[in-house]
Amino acid sequence: MSNKLNHSMSLAKPDALDISAKQKVALAIGVIGLFILALALFNTNFPNKAVFLTLSLGLIIGGVIVYSREAYLTKLEGIKNDGVWFKSISSRGVWGWIVGVILTTFYIVLYFFPKYLGLGSDGEANTGLIGLFDPLSQLLSGRNASQWFVYGTLYTVAILAFGYKFILKYRHNRYQQLRTISVMFFQLGFAFLIPEFMYVMNNDLPYYDLKSIWPLNYYIFDEWSVNGFLSNGNIGLALLLFGILSIFVFTPILTYKYGKRWYCSWVCGCGGLAETAGDSFRQLSSKKMYAWKIERWLIHVVLVFSIVMTTAVVYTYLGYDKNDFWLTRGVFISLVIGFLTLVFTAVMVFKRNELGKDAKYGAIGFFIVIALLLIMHFTGTTDHLFYVKAGALRSAYGIYIGSIFSGVIGTGFYPILGNRSWCRFGCPMAAILGFQQRLFSKFRITTNGGQCISCGNCSNSCEMGIDVRHYAQKGENIVRSSCVGCGICSAVCPRGVLKLENDSMKGRINPTEILLGNDVDLMDLVNDK
């Protein structure tokens, strides 16, 4: 019996729950699989790479499966918040920082120093970790692995293995099971296998993850990418048109019907990794007011940057002479400004009251974008835009947003900032979908304030930093741009207070109908109904 003094006044057991002997064995199995990858990283010469790669990935997946089954199938179905704030790895403890440093280091090496992972250059064979994945890459596409193939494989393994864990954890909730199976399917099929098979069928086609939509797929409008699509006949043209239609047609329609959850929680690979491998860190997302203010400014600054940079990228390879091609630089800038003006005008005319004081900030953002585009057009030359070399400008977005923010910070900081730090603070796609969701989507989370017991499970589990309990206590619908519709708040509510709904637009935003004290005359409200 332990003689350790426990100064906690909690009625519940305050210490982290001990893991069973079976879970310890599962952890050992998974660590052995990771150890094989570590040996490869240090250029260990394996006699049969295919066997050792299969063994490594099999041990990792098997360890996660055994651990998950022991953790959840030995307990009743239902809410599991077992000591998350008392475990070092899930409460910014020592283990949490260690994991964060390891993940961040891996991403830095992956993006900027792939030679240390064994990437061969100038026709040399791969070695190290990348060389270990050559047999799998040869099997799928007939070419040697790259650092991106290694990353894609590990990414997919993480979503599949931890997706199984997630399904067991929330097996009492069918919605959670279905959306997890969905992200597992889209990651394995659309992000991993289909691009490899497309390379086998036509290796001249640019890499294209069909579920990755601009501005997440920021390279789709690069000159090399557009030329690659246009030079490959009907299939290339069809893929390019699909990418454009996804932005202007499919995305608005689906967001109108289902909110941004159709993408952020059911399709997106970033969201898929966050929901599965990052589930243990969802409670770390800050609910403080200053974090919300930073979120609103930062994610929209990234969106403005994305729009301007994408326009600049296309602008750099368009000509001036309409005899070469009808889409000249002048026509292109006019189309972009015209479209942005149309969107801005429509929002101001139909949604001005709902935006309130945010309309002012929206107007400022709009005029900044227009001003930047005009400056670019009237000061740009063949080689320079914004007085910066065009080539350097084209790579800026990929480096700072696509690499540093989404990868190094977005995933590497899971154990520090929570599992959706990229989605919350930096993803321009989340900003676009959030804008659409806030203004014209049928989706909302309804609340029954009379049933709320203020336990705080919902707020604790919100990965987007929304204080859900604040809405639930008042019985107010939750209509937030940042909400990804993951539904965990509803899944962990012990009273069934929260419900995800797709209904009519009328009454969707209802803060003025909340009965607080004597603010509302009850009879007037009833008669008005």
Side-chain angles (χ1 to χ4, degrees):
M1 183 176 180
S2 174
N3 293 321
K4 175 185 175 182
L5 291 177
N6 195 331
H7 300 286
S8 173
M9 298 180 67
S10 173
L11 296 177
K13 183 179 178 183
D15 297 323
L17 299 179
D18 296 328
I19 61 175
S20 66
K22 196 170 183 179
Q23 286 175 302
K24 292 178 181 178
V25 172
L27 282 175
I29 292 173
V31 168
I32 292 173
L34 291 173
F35 183 67
I36 294 175
L37 296 181
L39 289 177
L41 188 62
F42 291 100
N43 290 316
T44 300
N45 187 20
F46 293 109
N48 190 319
K49 292 180 180 180
V51 171
F52 276 89
L53 176 62
T54 303
L55 181 63
S56 173
L57 298 183
L59 288 173
I60 293 172
I61 295 173
V64 173
I65 290 175
V66 173
Y67 185 96
S68 304
R69 293 181 66 85
E70 180 67 14
Y72 301 115
L73 293 185
T74 57
K75 302 174 184 177
L76 294 175
E77 296 181 3
I79 306 159
K80 302 292 184 300
N81 287 328
D82 302 50
V84 291
W85 285 108
F86 300 101
K87 295 176 182 177
S88 177
I89 195 171
S90 59
S91 60
R92 300 191 187 96
V94 174
W95 277 111
W97 280 97
I98 290 174
V99 172
V101 169
I102 291 174
L103 287 174
T104 302
T105 303
F106 172 74
Y107 271 90
I108 291 174
V109 174
L110 176 77
Y111 281 108
F112 304 109
F113 308 101
K115 64 179 181 180
Y116 294 116
L117 298 178
L119 181 66
S121 58
D122 299 325
E124 296 179 357
N126 292 327
T127 59
L129 182 63
I130 296 178
L132 181 65
F133 283 77
D134 278 344
L136 180 59
S137 183
Q138 288 285 351
L139 176 66
L140 294 176
S141 63
R143 55 180 170 173
N144 286 336
S146 65
Q147 75 269 37
W148 306 121
F149 179 81
V150 173
Y151 178 52
T153 303
L154 295 177
Y155 202 102
T156 303
V157 166
I159 288 181
L160 294 179
F162 286 97
Y164 178 78
K165 173 180 179 289
F166 191 92
I167 289 172
L168 294 185
K169 181 178 181 180
Y170 294 98
R171 67 188 190 279
H172 67 291
N173 190 294
R174 191 162 181 240
Y175 178 79
Q176 299 304 325
Q177 293 181 319
L178 289 176
R179 75 181 186 89
T180 305
I181 292 172
S182 175
V183 296
M184 292 165 70
F185 166 77
F186 278 104
Q187 176 60 33
L188 178 62
F190 284 71
F192 185 62
L193 293 179
I194 291 178
E196 297 297 320
F197 297 156
M198 286 175 63
Y199 178 83
V200 175
M201 293 184 290
N202 188 340
N203 55 24
D204 291 329
L205 278 173
Y207 171 82
Y208 192 18
D209 175 359
L210 292 172
K211 66 176 179 54
S212 187
I213 304 172
W214 179 88
L216 275 183
N217 185 358
Y218 56 86
Y219 49 82
I220 187 175
F221 297 120
D222 281 354
E223 184 175 12
W224 63 268
S225 180
V226 173
N227 288 339
F229 285 125
L230 294 179
S231 62
N232 277 277
N234 292 334
I235 186 171
L237 181 60
L239 289 173
L240 184 60
L241 289 176
F242 176 79
I244 296 173
L245 289 174
S246 296
I247 302 168
F248 298 107
V249 180
F250 304 149
T251 292
I253 292 175
L254 289 171
T255 305
Y256 166 71
K257 291 180 66 67
Y258 306 110
K260 65 193 287 187
R261 60 176 171 159
W262 75 267
Y263 188 77
C264 295
S265 287
W266 287 72
V267 174
C268 180
C270 299
L273 188 70
E275 291 292 340
T276 53
D279 178 62
S280 298
F281 310 110
R282 64 172 54 250
Q283 69 279 353
L284 300 178
S285 182
S286 177
K287 313 300 186 296
K288 295 180 180 179
M289 181 64 73
Y290 78 83
W292 179 58
K293 291 180 179 179
I294 293 174
E295 168 195 334
R296 296 177 70 202
W297 280 101
L298 190 55
I299 196 170
H300 291 103
V301 167
V302 173
L303 177 59
V304 169
F305 183 67
S306 302
I307 293 173
V308 174
M309 287 301 101
T310 302
T311 305
V313 165
V314 178
Y315 186 88
T316 56
Y317 59 82
L318 290 177
Y320 291 99
D321 189 356
K322 64 181 180 181
N323 292 325
D324 295 333
F325 190 61
W326 70 269
L327 188 61
T328 63
R329 292 185 171 188
V331 172
F332 178 65
I333 286 293
S334 300
L335 288 174
V336 172
I337 292 177
F339 177 75
L340 293 176
T341 303
L342 179 64
V343 171
F344 175 74
T345 303
V347 169
M348 289 297 106
V349 171
F350 297 105
K351 297 293 182 178
R352 174 68 179 81
N353 293 333
E354 291 184 12
L355 285 173
K357 65 179 181 181
D358 288 340
K360 178 179 69 174
Y361 299 118
I364 293 173
F366 167 75
F367 287 114
I368 288 175
V369 172
I370 299 303
L372 288 173
L373 294 179
L374 290 175
I375 291 172
M376 179 184 71
H377 180 58
F378 289 109
T379 64
T381 64
T382 304
D383 298 320
H384 291 77
L385 295 173
F386 300 115
Y387 303 103
V388 178
K389 191 174 180 180
L393 193 65
R394 283 197 295 268
S395 64
Y397 180 73
I399 293 175
Y400 295 108
I401 304 301
S403 300
I404 295 177
F405 205 155
S406 68
V408 177
I409 296 176
T411 306
F413 281 31
Y414 272 8
I416 310 303
L417 299 177
N419 61 327
R420 285 270 191 174
S421 53
W422 159 246
C423 309
R424 183 181 179 188
F425 295 103
C427 178
M429 182 67 180
I432 292 175
L433 294 178
F435 174 77
Q436 295 172 352
Q437 174 172 271
R438 180 67 174 77
L439 294 181
F440 61 81
S441 174
K442 292 183 175 183
F443 173 70
R444 87 289 308 271
I445 300 178
T446 59
T447 62
N448 184 347
Q451 293 282 345
C452 180
I453 58 175
S454 299
C455 66
N457 273 350
C458 52
S459 293
N460 182 69
S461 296
C462 181
E463 58 198 354
M464 297 304 291
I466 301 172
D467 187 3
V468 180
R469 179 172 58 180
H470 169 78
Y471 293 89
Q473 288 171 330
K474 298 191 299 180
E476 181 179 345
N477 290 349
I478 302 172
V479 182
R480 289 278 291 269
S481 297
S482 57
C483 178
V484 293
C486 68
I488 296 296
C489 58
S490 176
V492 300
C493 178
R495 300 280 291 172
V497 172
L498 303 156
K499 185 179 180 182
L500 282 69
E501 293 186 0
N502 298 313
D503 207 338
S504 65
M505 295 287 290
K506 184 178 180 181
R508 177 169 168 261
I509 299 177
N510 64 338
T512 58
E513 297 181 0
I514 308 304
L515 300 180
L516 295 176
N518 296 319
D519 292 343
V520 178
D521 187 297
L522 185 58
M523 290 307 300
D524 289 344
L525 183 64
V526 171
N527 291 332
D528 185 57
K529 295 292 184 181

